[in-house]
Amino acid sequence: MEDKLMLMIPGPTPVPEQALLDMAKHPIGHRSKDFEAILEEVTQNLKWLHQTKGDVLMLAASGTGAMEAGIINFLSPGDRVLVGSNGKFGDRWAEVAIAFGLNVEQITVEWGKPLDPEQFREKLAADTGKEIKAVILTHNETSTGIINDLETINKHVKAHGEALIIVDAVTSMGATNVPIDEWGLDVVASGSQKGYMIPPGLGFVSVSAKAWEAYKTAKLPRYYFDLGKYSKAAAKNSTPFTPPINLIIALQRTLKMMQAEGLDPIYKRHQRLMNATRAGVKALGLPLFAPDSCASPAITAVAPVQVEAEKVRSIMKKRFDIALAGGQNHLKGKIFRIGHLGFVSDRDVLTAISALEAALIELGVDSYTPGAGIAAAVAAINSKSD
Ligand SMILES: *Cc1c(COP(=O)(O)O)cnc(C)c1O
């Protein structure tokens, strides 16, 4: 059916109607007083969302641009860095770091398992010469639906004392607690089409005081993504280059919506959506790809055995206008992924689980009690445990 698509992929995520309407307006000048006032408010509210008093800078880029900015502003050619890799986005960090000539040591774990903080501790403890300049990792690994134990890994980085911690929080920011100042996270990258509830096009980078110190001596070339320019401009409620004005106006709206909901209720909602999705999928007899102990609050990966993942995805799309994501790299065709990030409510998950059962019926899979999926999802939503 036309205009009925329900996005349940892990980005882009659904956008509230008010934010869409804001974007439909004529752009205003980015050097105008009106826009200065918008930037001032957006900057303050971004700091609230990121739980930091430090800079949160906006770039005209997707999340990967924010990641690249997070590398080139704080490091120099040949710097030794540890990169955590347990999925597509961890691998991307390594690719960016290698592209810029860093000395990359990957801490790798099989896709579908969480990074092992102990491996980071050992490498950092052994580095008595303090050669490791940064530890770089993905918080929520979107490709596998795994959330890594950032808090513990960060403690080991802090014990090292020298290395910066550089984090991809693209699908954890706005879904779960990422207290930047409390944990002392140095560089945190994210992107607008995920938990921020607006379309793609804005990248965000938060920068700690310690990272700004490193910036002063960092020698990788930078121009458009030179964060010093953005920081200097932000202090005057301005931007160094023409920003995506309409996106920022939409962001003004969604940040207000997030403030009205509150950080804790937002995190609890994502926890509930995760619990309901996982309970529903399990009750339909489909194996979950990630263990409960490290399950992502933003995305649930499902690894069906009785039926082909791509067939499920195809019916969900054709019959029910629900877009699910497929697997990436070697997981292509092996898993499908249900996004529940950003502007997503209980109703959306109930709809997806019901449609999933209908899709299974169409594929001849009936090895569960009819209605088991929806019953389990409702029970999870009503559970008072959170
Ligand atoms: C979406 C995403 C990114 C950024 O991807 P872009 O396509 O560049 O926006 C980075 N890391 C993770 C974990 C993501 O989910």
Side-chain angles (χ1 to χ4, degrees), residues 10 62-65 67 89 92 138 140-142 168 170-171 193-194:
S62 77
T64 307
M67 292 164 73
F89 293 99
R92 184 171 299 177
T138 302
N140 189 77
E141 183 44 81
T142 312
D168 168 344
V170 179
T171 47
Q193 79 276 26
K194 308 286 173 99

Side-chain angles (χ1 to χ4, degrees), residues 8 270-283 288 299-302 338-340 344 348-350 352-353 356 373 376-377 380-381:
M8 293 201 83
H270 282 88
Q271 206 64 32
R272 197 168 67 238
L273 297 173
M274 172 189 86
N275 289 338
T277 304
R278 291 175 70 83
V281 165
K282 225 188 277 182
L288 294 161
I299 179 148
T300 297
V302 184
I338 306 171
H340 33 80
V344 179
D348 297 324
V349 165
L350 295 179
I353 293 296
L356 183 58
I381 283 170

Side-chain angles (χ1 to χ4, degrees), residues 1 3-9 12-14 316-317 320-324 338-339 343-353 355:
M1 192 181 196
D3 210 15
K4 196 69 187 168
L5 181 68
M6 185 173 168
L7 269 183
M8 293 201 83
I9 60 176
T13 62
M316 289 291 275
K317 175 70 176 39
F320 305 111
D321 295 292
I322 298 177
L324 303 179
I338 306 171
F343 189 55
V344 179
S345 70
D346 294 348
R347 178 182 48 146
D348 297 324
V349 165
L350 295 179
T351 302
I353 293 296

Side-chain angles (χ1 to χ4, degrees), residues 111 126 133:
W111 289 32
K133 296 302 174 205

